[in-house]
Amino acid sequence: MIIIMRRGATPEEIEQVKAKLEGLGFGVHLSEGVKRTILGAIGGDKSKIDVEQLMSLPGVERVVHVMEPYKLVSRAFHPDDTVVEVGDVKVGSGTLTVIAGPCAVENYTTLLETAKEVKKAGATILRGGSFKPRTSPYSFQGHGLEGLKMLASAGKAVGLPVVTEVMDTRDVEVVAQYADLLQIGARNAQNYPLLKEVGQSGVPVLLKRGMHCTYEDWLLAAEYIASSGNTQIILAERGIRTFETHTRNTLDLSAVPVIHKLSHLPVVVDPSHATGQAELVPAMAKAAVAAGSDALMIEVHHNPQTAWCDGRQSLNFQQFSQLMDEIRTIAQAIGRKVAA
Amino acid sequence: MIIIMRRGATPEEIEQVKAKLEGLGFGVHLSEGVKRTILGAIGGDKSKIDVEQLMSLPGVERVVHVMEPYKLVSRAFHPDDTVVEVGDVKVGSGTLTVIAGPCAVENYTTLLETAKEVKKAGATILRGGSFKPRTSPYSFQGHGLEGLKMLASAGKAVGLPVVTEVMDTRDVEVVAQYADLLQIGARNAQNYPLLKEVGQSGVPVLLKRGMHCTYEDWLLAAEYIASSGNTQIILAERGIRTFETHTRNTLDLSAVPVIHKLSHLPVVVDPSHATGQAELVPAMAKAAVAAGSDALMIEVHHNPQTAWCDGRQSLNFQQFSQLMDEIRTIAQAIGRKVAA
Amino acid sequence: MIIIMRRGATPEEIEQVKAKLEGLGFGVHLSEGVKRTILGAIGGDKSKIDVEQLMSLPGVERVVHVMEPYKLVSRAFHPDDTVVEVGDVKVGSGTLTVIAGPCAVENYTTLLETAKEVKKAGATILRGGSFKPRTSPYSFQGHGLEGLKMLASAGKAVGLPVVTEVMDTRDVEVVAQYADLLQIGARNAQNYPLLKEVGQSGVPVLLKRGMHCTYEDWLLAAEYIASSGNTQIILAERGIRTFETHTRNTLDLSAVPVIHKLSHLPVVVDPSHATGQAELVPAMAKAAVAAGSDALMIEVHHNPQTAWCDGRQSLNFQQFSQLMDEIRTIAQAIGRKVAA
Amino acid sequence: MIIIMRRGATPEEIEQVKAKLEGLGFGVHLSEGVKRTILGAIGGDKSKIDVEQLMSLPGVERVVHVMEPYKLVSRAFHPDDTVVEVGDVKVGSGTLTVIAGPCAVENYTTLLETAKEVKKAGATILRGGSFKPRTSPYSFQGHGLEGLKMLASAGKAVGLPVVTEVMDTRDVEVVAQYADLLQIGARNAQNYPLLKEVGQSGVPVLLKRGMHCTYEDWLLAAEYIASSGNTQIILAERGIRTFETHTRNTLDLSAVPVIHKLSHLPVVVDPSHATGQAELVPAMAKAAVAAGSDALMIEVHHNPQTAWCDGRQSLNFQQFSQLMDEIRTIAQAIGRKVAA
């Protein structure tokens, strides 16, 4: 149940509605937008609410029943698209944002070279993993804090905000100091303490869908972040696990229109992890744009054959640059512009 | 193992290679193209083949080992794209073909009206089910032969070739008389007697991927048709079964570039059955085009609310017409034209 | 909606209820048991039924609303367990039936030897494939009619009824002449013309669950057989397709108690096809018995290393004999006896 | 590559082999058993190892190549079954251990009552969640530290060791103070920082399989714990996510024989979470025992209808007690005894 106040409703009117809901046993979530204030009634016994009575309180415009188990991230709760601000890049603003960079930060020299190249080609956010979740404990686990600092430096050097993964609640504070966007990986998609922690960090979050997560699971994971105080969330489709093994995962592009229907949050598609094969990335990147994705996340490496991880799915500079040209054409065809 | 003959190899040279292979215990499949002839060695013991010796036979240009379990439908066997001719419509020729029409043939009047409308909007093949595979025995099972005749009539009336499903080996002959393209549905994707029968029909086949079929299963099903004498096959991606239940199935668009890599056969995408929701069809149709699909298959109904089956996923005339406009723009952006 | 008549209801009373339902637009399915008659109202508009009025008709004991989309195979429609009679073997009678034999009939000599051995060890139905659904058109496709005759002969020679797969509607008549139980394979689990045809054959049917079929899909497939006149159906769990590839499929043993809850039909478990590995068969066979399965279906070969198909999952005679001993102990522990 | 030393090999001999391996660029993991010492060579370039030369070093009995990506948890590395000691309960010792208790700790009174009842019926480890991973942020999240203390008290009061979930690296230390066995839940099955942390805790770990994890993923997760210093790990099968939605998840009982083949670690089966329905728990619990599971984990609640979470899948005292009787009979049939 959400209560939408009229434009110009006074603080007193808002307080009165809040008190009313609390008196009925509900928790109240206040969302104060530029134009109007919305109150979400959480928990409690809906049957106790007399809608007529609520409607009659001064300042109330509309009372909406949200059927979905998620509230703050639902389209019903917040009909307008959310724009997530990553540095000065606006994701979800009707433009198409491209996030690019290596799977893992390897060393500063190649990272900086990559940052320059992806920026030149048109990417506006730099990615690079430093705390790496690897299936085997014997694989390279990332450079940790050191890699994080390299990433932040490279971003500053070329003038791009940066995104990197955080895996441990104990690292959120330090990662939030260096990164402009905190990535929650697929394996931590239902790591609720971590979701709460990034929700309290004040830094925007890129939330990957777990390989086994339904749309509802995914939106509820986002709700953990939102209900901890942070609705600056980008939802990342990166493939789900199915019986098909030719591709690394099965990219579920239907997620794009479905999430746009169910939620106001922007969507990014990661064709690199989903397909696991560089030669499939361009087709699926273009398809993602045509499906209406707000952003793309693409792995680019200066020399994929020598990459410390996921080289098989990384584009080289030339391939990425060519893909960017193709993407611009598709974006234009559906009335979007690639952010620059 | 395939043996590619030089341009201008004589019938005697070809016969000599064939005899050699048969002498070693292989079955031989002859593929006589415009430019050159290819011989496929099927079965037998590969270790017996002395590649040097084969290469030394007159007229032989190259000997290629096909690793995949499917041969005739593999890209290695036939490097050029296959173009499937449905009436005078060429599928896979670099243009984009749109197949449209109702899920089921209901009556002649509305079918004819639909045929006119989809043609006007730009579809070049008419679809309509008459033998319907329904999950429940108590659902409408289609009009059978009567519906088939209506479909053929409507196609003739508006000048569009028609596609319809055949489910029973005993019906292949009669359906082949009326239809320009025989559809094998997802539930019969591994019904091998049926695949063999349509392979012998001489009519092109649209082969849907089974809900549980890997790319390899699907290509092996096509191989059943091809090895029965018919390589005029269009492969139809229509969604696979996964844990996600919000959509009817999970449309696996990665199938488009993967199949184009593995096989020479054209691909059609059916966003209607995959998503099961009309409001998701446009986004996924556009994504399919951007991914490089050769064709689309879209359910259109004069009044979806009253459809006898699958109304939930059908577009009305106005929605279809608008989608065709959008599709043209995307097709152009990737250098294709919608067939007209 | 089903109408249960009182014991001793007269034909006139039954006819009156039937006429009443038909007058309301329902199809009527009559199930005349030894003790009482049950009428199933199929299709039609439930809201038109006045339960009070129906109850007041002479001879009516109870009116039950069946919520499930399947009727004749539902437990609600037929509360007692169905016993399927295969030759003189009763499947579902509280005993445990073991079906065993080779994947494919290879030749009469080894088939007869296998038949003798599995009978000696305790199997009471002989299996052997003659029409084989193989993923590749280049694999051995079975001996067809010739193999069928060998199977029937071997069965007669040792005194065991036989089960074999039928894949083509055109073969049902001839297979029904030789087999005591018709198997519908997983790939034909939703081949509706075939289901209707075996439903009309008068011979009991073993219906395998499709690799992608939910319990509901599976029961609706059984409903196709039942609504064609044949409720002598055994439901075979043989594994579903999941992301796990170590085993051939994922054996879903929960199917046993779930099907027993939803339906009155007996269940058989096939651990050979599900696991695809002989060394896993004993553990899963024992688990199936403990879960309450009415029967087991196990592949046994005189020399698995040389089997023409599925040797990897076949037990040899000694392994099968030892498994039968272990199964007897488990069966006894849950109060069942292995049929002999 | 693992090097198995002879019984009675001297420390000097062991040190010499270790130095040799390190000289070749390998990390060395030393496993000093009661009978003999095993050295694991991790990482490095296998082609550099001269097996003959290694074999010739004094004290070396055998050199074994481990193909699997996991080493310490593989059966090849450690052929004997591992016995995990939880308090004085030995899991994997050939007996059957039953873990039981409520999904969540609600209050001390009912917890103590439940502890007494499950102990009386035959359970030897008490379960109870206090840090609860809930799909929705608006569901009860557990009593945290307070609940943990109640659990430890109840366990002490009745004389049962206790198991509870830990979700946050920051909580491992405190949970390890109160619990005898640390549970890693399915959602954290690939939370690698958490796995490393419990690996360093010195307390045995119960590792649930993630809903999307293959056997290999799962064993690699265990390898994270083992390579952090702790091989006291019980692997918990609790169902995987498939397309079937009638059951909460699909219990994959084949995991039991497969894990026993691939690894030396004991396996526990959780039929409560897998099925999600109390009426399916007994059949699947018995099947798990017959499949060879070392332990069962069953949710028991004093009044399932009023449970704060997962009441739908909880047994009441009477149902649990009856199930224990049935389990004893099955265990006996396969030559195991229920631990007491």
Side-chain angles (χ1 to χ4, degrees):
Chain A
M1 181 75 65
I2 59 177
I3 292 88
I4 302 170
M5 303 298 291
R6 289 207 188 90
R7 290 186 189 210
T10 65
E12 291 73 28
E13 288 169 347
I14 293 167
E15 185 48 45
Q16 192 182 358
V17 176
K18 185 164 176 284
K20 177 76 188 172
L21 290 170
E22 288 172 346
L24 290 166
F26 290 89
V28 177
H29 181 277
L30 217 72
S31 167
E32 303 189 332
V34 183
K35 297 178 180 172
R36 68 182 81 222
T37 292
I38 297 173
L39 295 93
I42 291 163
D45 177 0
K46 259 94 194 170
S47 66
K48 283 194 192 154
I49 294 188
D50 179 336
V51 174
E52 294 295 311
Q53 201 183 344
L54 271 179
M55 287 287 292
S56 70
L57 291 178
V60 171
E61 180 175 305
R62 212 152 38 100
V63 174
V64 182
H65 189 52
V66 182
M67 298 290 294
E68 290 80 22
Y70 41 87
K71 310 288 174 204
L72 308 180
V73 304
S74 75
R75 178 68 77 179
F77 185 83
H78 184 291
D80 294 335
D81 288 350
T82 283
V83 175
V84 175
E85 304 201 15
V86 183
D88 52 6
V89 175
K90 294 187 195 328
V91 178
S93 58
T95 57
L96 179 78
T97 303
V98 179
I99 304 170
C103 179
V105 172
E106 297 177 8
N107 62 62
Y108 188 70
T109 312
T110 59
L111 179 62
L112 184 63
E113 184 193 358
T114 306
K116 285 176 183 166
E117 291 286 338
V118 300
K119 186 182 183 187
K120 196 172 72 184
T124 52
I125 301 178
L126 177 66
R127 62 152 290 152
S130 194
F131 296 93
K132 300 292 305 170
R134 306 302 301 278
T135 306
S136 166
Y138 308 123
S139 301
F140 171 57
Q141 309 273 312
H143 284 314
L145 180 57
E146 199 188 346
L148 188 60
K149 289 177 180 172
M150 289 189 219
L151 179 68
S153 294
K156 277 215 183 83
V158 300
L160 291 183
V162 301
V163 56
T164 200
E165 179 162 354
V166 58
M167 307 197 307
D168 192 328
T169 48
R170 296 171 300 192
D171 296 334
V172 170
E173 196 178 336
V174 67
V175 177
Q177 281 170 29
Y178 290 96
D180 302 287
L181 179 62
L182 300 176
Q183 178 178 317
I184 300 295
R187 293 174 179 85
N188 285 309
Q190 295 189 310
N191 178 341
Y192 301 126
L194 185 62
L195 297 174
K196 288 178 185 172
E197 198 71 24
V198 298
Q200 291 162 10
S201 71
V203 178
V205 179
L206 184 151
L207 174 63
K208 290 211 167 182
R209 179 183 184 183
M211 277 184 257
H212 65 287
C213 287
T214 62
Y215 301 138
E216 189 172 305
D217 291 339
W218 190 15
L219 289 168
L220 280 165
E223 188 81 8
Y224 263 97
I225 300 171
S227 65
S228 300
N230 188 351
T231 54
Q232 287 279 294
I233 305 165
I234 305 170
L235 295 169
E237 164 62 34
R238 44 79 69 213
I240 56 173
R241 187 157 264 181
T242 71
F243 60 80
E244 178 58 69
T245 56
H246 185 94
T247 44
R248 182 171 177 174
N249 288 110
T250 296
L251 182 63
D252 177 17
L253 277 185
S254 303
V256 178
V258 171
I259 293 297
H260 281 159
K261 183 176 66 172
L262 302 178
S263 175
H264 51 86
L265 299 174
V267 177
V268 59
V269 171
D270 175 350
S272 306
H273 280 86
T275 64
Q277 298 177 45
E279 66 270 32
L280 302 178
V281 168
M284 300 321 288
K286 288 184 276 183
V289 175
S293 185
D294 300 288
L296 292 172
M297 189 166 192
I298 294 177
E299 289 194 354
V300 178
H301 194 274
H302 66 286
N303 183 3
Q305 279 70 36
T306 66
W308 294 15
C309 73
D310 289 346
R312 181 70 188 84
Q313 73 198 27
S314 296
L315 301 185
N316 63 28
F317 297 155
Q318 191 275 327
Q319 291 164 333
F320 179 64
S321 176
Q322 184 185 326
L323 175 57
M324 287 301 296
D325 288 343
E326 296 176 16
I327 282 170
R328 275 186 204 94
T329 319
I330 302 273
Q332 198 173 20
I334 64 156
R336 276 186 190 246
K337 255 185 65 179
V338 176
Chain B
M1 179 76 65
I2 60 177
I3 293 87
I4 302 170
M5 304 300 290
R6 288 207 188 90
R7 290 186 189 211
T10 65
E12 291 72 29
E13 289 170 348
I14 293 167
E15 184 50 43
Q16 194 182 354
V17 176
K18 185 164 176 285
K20 177 76 189 171
L21 291 170
E22 289 172 347
L24 291 166
F26 290 88
V28 176
H29 182 274
L30 218 71
S31 167
E32 304 189 331
V34 184
K35 298 178 180 170
R36 67 183 80 222
T37 292
I38 297 172
L39 295 94
I42 291 163
D45 177 359
K46 259 95 196 172
S47 67
K48 283 194 191 153
I49 294 188
D50 180 335
V51 174
E52 293 296 311
Q53 202 183 342
L54 269 180
M55 287 288 292
S56 70
L57 289 179
V60 171
E61 182 176 303
R62 213 153 36 102
V63 174
V64 183
H65 188 53
V66 182
M67 299 290 294
E68 289 80 22
Y70 41 88
K71 311 288 173 202
L72 309 179
V73 304
S74 75
R75 177 68 78 179
F77 185 83
H78 185 291
D80 293 335
D81 289 350
T82 283
V83 174
V84 175
E85 303 200 17
V86 183
D88 52 5
V89 175
K90 294 185 195 330
V91 179
S93 58
T95 56
L96 179 79
T97 303
V98 179
I99 304 170
C103 178
V105 172
E106 296 177 9
N107 62 62
Y108 188 71
T109 313
T110 59
L111 178 63
L112 185 64
E113 184 193 359
T114 306
K116 285 176 184 166
E117 291 286 338
V118 300
K119 187 183 182 186
K120 197 172 72 183
T124 53
I125 300 178
L126 178 65
R127 63 152 290 153
S130 195
F131 295 93
K132 300 292 306 169
R134 305 302 301 279
T135 306
S136 165
Y138 307 123
S139 300
F140 171 57
Q141 308 272 313
H143 284 314
L145 180 56
E146 199 189 345
L148 188 59
K149 290 178 180 171
M150 287 188 220
L151 180 68
S153 295
K156 275 215 185 84
V158 300
L160 292 183
V162 300
V163 56
T164 201
E165 179 161 355
V166 59
M167 307 198 305
D168 192 328
T169 49
R170 298 171 299 192
D171 295 334
V172 171
E173 197 180 334
V174 66
V175 178
Q177 282 170 29
Y178 291 95
D180 303 286
L181 178 63
L182 299 176
Q183 178 178 318
I184 301 294
R187 293 174 179 86
N188 285 307
Q190 295 190 310
N191 178 342
Y192 302 127
L194 185 63
L195 296 174
K196 289 178 184 172
E197 198 71 25
V198 297
Q200 291 162 10
S201 72
V203 178
V205 179
L206 184 153
L207 174 63
K208 291 212 167 180
R209 178 184 187 183
M211 274 184 261
H212 65 288
C213 286
T214 62
Y215 301 139
E216 189 173 304
D217 290 339
W218 190 14
L219 289 168
L220 280 165
E223 188 80 7
Y224 263 97
I225 300 172
S227 64
S228 301
N230 189 351
T231 54
Q232 287 279 294
I233 306 164
I234 306 169
L235 296 169
E237 164 64 33
R238 45 76 74 215
I240 56 174
R241 188 159 263 182
T242 71
F243 61 79
E244 178 58 70
T245 56
H246 185 93
T247 45
R248 183 170 174 174
N249 287 110
T250 296
L251 182 63
D252 177 16
L253 276 185
S254 303
V256 178
V258 171
I259 293 296
H260 281 158
K261 182 177 66 171
L262 302 177
S263 175
H264 51 86
L265 298 175
V267 177
V268 59
V269 171
D270 175 348
S272 306
H273 279 86
T275 63
Q277 299 177 43
E279 66 269 32
L280 303 178
V281 168
M284 300 321 287
K286 287 184 275 182
V289 174
S293 185
D294 300 288
L296 292 173
M297 189 166 192
I298 294 177
E299 290 195 354
V300 178
H301 194 274
H302 66 285
N303 184 2
Q305 279 70 36
T306 66
W308 295 15
C309 72
D310 289 346
R312 181 70 188 82
Q313 73 197 29
S314 296
L315 301 185
N316 63 28
F317 298 154
Q318 191 274 328
Q319 291 164 332
F320 178 65
S321 176
Q322 184 185 326
L323 174 57
M324 286 301 297
D325 290 342
E326 295 176 14
I327 282 171
R328 275 187 204 94
T329 318
I330 303 272
Q332 197 174 20
I334 64 154
R336 276 184 191 248
K337 255 185 66 179
V338 175
Chain C
M1 179 77 64
I2 59 176
I3 293 86
I4 302 170
M5 303 298 292
R6 289 208 188 89
R7 290 186 189 210
T10 66
E12 291 73 27
E13 287 170 348
I14 293 167
E15 185 50 44
Q16 192 182 355
V17 176
K18 185 164 175 287
K20 176 76 187 171
L21 290 170
E22 288 172 348
L24 290 167
F26 290 88
V28 177
H29 182 277
L30 218 70
S31 168
E32 304 188 332
V34 183
K35 296 180 180 169
R36 68 182 80 222
T37 292
I38 296 172
L39 294 94
I42 291 164
D45 177 2
K46 259 95 195 174
S47 67
K48 283 196 192 153
I49 295 188
D50 180 336
V51 174
E52 292 296 312
Q53 201 183 341
L54 270 180
M55 288 287 292
S56 70
L57 290 179
V60 170
E61 180 174 306
R62 211 151 39 100
V63 174
V64 182
H65 188 53
V66 181
M67 298 288 295
E68 289 80 21
Y70 41 86
K71 310 287 172 202
L72 309 180
V73 305
S74 75
R75 178 68 79 179
F77 185 83
H78 185 290
D80 293 336
D81 288 350
T82 282
V83 175
V84 176
E85 303 200 16
V86 183
D88 53 5
V89 174
K90 294 185 194 330
V91 178
S93 58
T95 57
L96 180 79
T97 303
V98 179
I99 304 171
C103 178
V105 172
E106 297 177 8
N107 61 63
Y108 188 70
T109 313
T110 58
L111 178 63
L112 185 63
E113 183 193 0
T114 307
K116 285 177 184 165
E117 290 287 338
V118 301
K119 186 183 182 184
K120 197 172 73 183
T124 52
I125 300 178
L126 177 66
R127 65 152 287 153
S130 196
F131 295 93
K132 299 292 305 170
R134 305 302 300 279
T135 306
S136 166
Y138 307 124
S139 300
F140 172 57
Q141 309 273 312
H143 283 315
L145 180 56
E146 200 189 345
L148 188 59
K149 289 178 181 172
M150 289 188 218
L151 179 67
S153 294
K156 274 210 185 89
V158 300
L160 291 183
V162 300
V163 57
T164 200
E165 178 161 353
V166 59
M167 307 197 307
D168 193 328
T169 49
R170 297 170 301 192
D171 295 334
V172 170
E173 196 178 336
V174 66
V175 177
Q177 282 170 31
Y178 291 96
D180 303 286
L181 179 62
L182 299 176
Q183 178 177 319
I184 300 295
R187 293 174 180 85
N188 285 308
Q190 294 189 311
N191 178 342
Y192 302 126
L194 185 61
L195 296 175
K196 288 178 184 172
E197 198 71 25
V198 298
Q200 290 162 12
S201 72
V203 178
V205 179
L206 184 152
L207 174 64
K208 290 211 167 180
R209 180 183 184 183
M211 275 184 258
H212 64 289
C213 287
T214 61
Y215 301 139
E216 189 172 303
D217 290 339
W218 189 15
L219 289 168
L220 279 165
E223 187 81 8
Y224 262 97
I225 301 171
S227 64
S228 300
N230 188 351
T231 54
Q232 288 278 295
I233 306 164
I234 306 170
L235 295 169
E237 164 63 32
R238 46 76 73 215
I240 56 173
R241 187 158 263 181
T242 70
F243 61 80
E244 178 59 69
T245 57
H246 185 94
T247 45
R248 183 172 176 173
N249 287 111
T250 295
L251 182 63
D252 177 17
L253 277 185
S254 303
V256 178
V258 171
I259 293 297
H260 281 159
K261 182 177 67 171
L262 301 178
S263 176
H264 51 88
L265 298 175
V267 177
V268 59
V269 170
D270 175 349
S272 306
H273 279 87
T275 64
Q277 299 177 44
E279 66 269 32
L280 302 178
V281 168
M284 300 320 288
K286 287 184 276 183
V289 175
S293 186
D294 300 287
L296 292 173
M297 189 165 192
I298 293 177
E299 290 195 354
V300 178
H301 194 275
H302 66 285
N303 184 2
Q305 277 71 35
T306 67
W308 295 15
C309 75
D310 289 347
R312 181 70 188 82
Q313 72 197 30
S314 296
L315 301 186
N316 63 28
F317 297 155
Q318 191 274 327
Q319 291 164 334
F320 179 65
S321 176
Q322 183 184 328
L323 174 57
M324 286 300 298
D325 289 344
E326 295 175 16
I327 282 171
R328 275 186 203 95
T329 320
I330 303 274
Q332 196 172 21
I334 63 156
R336 276 187 191 247
K337 253 184 66 176
V338 176
Chain D
M1 180 76 65
I2 59 177
I3 292 87
I4 302 171
M5 304 300 290
R6 288 207 190 90
R7 290 187 189 210
T10 65
E12 291 72 27
E13 288 170 347
I14 293 167
E15 184 50 42
Q16 194 181 355
V17 176
K18 185 163 176 287
K20 177 77 188 171
L21 291 170
E22 287 172 348
L24 291 166
F26 290 89
V28 176
H29 181 276
L30 219 73
S31 167
E32 304 189 331
V34 183
K35 297 178 180 171
R36 68 183 79 223
T37 292
I38 297 173
L39 295 93
I42 291 164
D45 177 1
K46 259 95 197 173
S47 66
K48 284 194 191 154
I49 294 189
D50 180 335
V51 174
E52 292 296 310
Q53 203 184 343
L54 269 181
M55 286 287 292
S56 70
L57 290 180
V60 171
E61 181 176 303
R62 213 154 36 102
V63 174
V64 182
H65 188 52
V66 182
M67 299 289 295
E68 289 80 22
Y70 40 87
K71 309 289 172 202
L72 309 180
V73 304
S74 75
R75 177 69 77 179
F77 185 84
H78 185 291
D80 294 335
D81 288 350
T82 283
V83 174
V84 175
E85 303 200 17
V86 183
D88 52 6
V89 175
K90 294 184 195 330
V91 178
S93 57
T95 57
L96 179 79
T97 303
V98 179
I99 305 170
C103 179
V105 171
E106 297 177 7
N107 62 62
Y108 188 71
T109 313
T110 59
L111 178 63
L112 184 64
E113 183 193 0
T114 306
K116 285 176 184 166
E117 291 286 337
V118 300
K119 185 181 184 187
K120 196 172 71 183
T124 52
I125 301 178
L126 177 66
R127 63 151 289 154
S130 195
F131 295 92
K132 298 293 304 170
R134 305 302 300 279
T135 306
S136 166
Y138 308 123
S139 300
F140 171 57
Q141 309 273 314
H143 284 313
L145 179 57
E146 198 189 347
L148 188 60
K149 290 178 181 171
M150 289 188 217
L151 179 68
S153 296
K156 277 216 183 84
V158 300
L160 292 183
V162 300
V163 56
T164 200
E165 178 161 354
V166 59
M167 307 198 305
D168 192 329
T169 48
R170 297 172 298 192
D171 295 333
V172 171
E173 196 179 335
V174 66
V175 177
Q177 282 171 28
Y178 291 96
D180 302 286
L181 179 61
L182 299 176
Q183 178 177 317
I184 301 294
R187 292 175 180 85
N188 284 309
Q190 295 190 310
N191 178 342
Y192 301 127
L194 185 61
L195 296 175
K196 289 178 183 172
E197 198 71 25
V198 298
Q200 291 162 10
S201 71
V203 178
V205 179
L206 184 151
L207 174 63
K208 292 212 166 180
R209 180 184 185 182
M211 275 184 259
H212 65 288
C213 287
T214 61
Y215 301 140
E216 189 172 303
D217 290 339
W218 190 15
L219 288 168
L220 279 165
E223 187 81 8
Y224 263 96
I225 300 171
S227 65
S228 300
N230 188 350
T231 54
Q232 287 278 295
I233 306 164
I234 306 170
L235 295 169
E237 163 64 33
R238 46 78 72 215
I240 57 174
R241 187 159 265 182
T242 71
F243 62 80
E244 179 59 68
T245 56
H246 186 94
T247 44
R248 183 171 174 172
N249 288 109
T250 295
L251 182 63
D252 177 16
L253 277 185
S254 303
V256 177
V258 171
I259 293 297
H260 281 158
K261 182 176 67 171
L262 301 178
S263 175
H264 51 86
L265 298 175
V267 177
V268 60
V269 171
D270 175 348
S272 305
H273 279 86
T275 63
Q277 299 176 43
E279 66 269 32
L280 302 178
V281 168
M284 300 321 288
K286 287 184 275 182
V289 175
S293 185
D294 300 288
L296 291 173
M297 188 165 193
I298 294 177
E299 290 194 355
V300 178
H301 194 275
H302 66 286
N303 184 3
Q305 277 71 34
T306 66
W308 294 16
C309 73
D310 289 346
R312 180 70 188 83
Q313 72 198 29
S314 296
L315 301 186
N316 63 28
F317 297 154
Q318 191 275 327
Q319 291 164 332
F320 178 65
S321 176
Q322 184 185 327
L323 174 58
M324 287 300 298
D325 289 343
E326 296 175 14
I327 282 171
R328 275 186 203 95
T329 320
I330 302 272
Q332 198 173 20
I334 64 157
R336 275 186 190 247
K337 253 183 66 176
V338 176

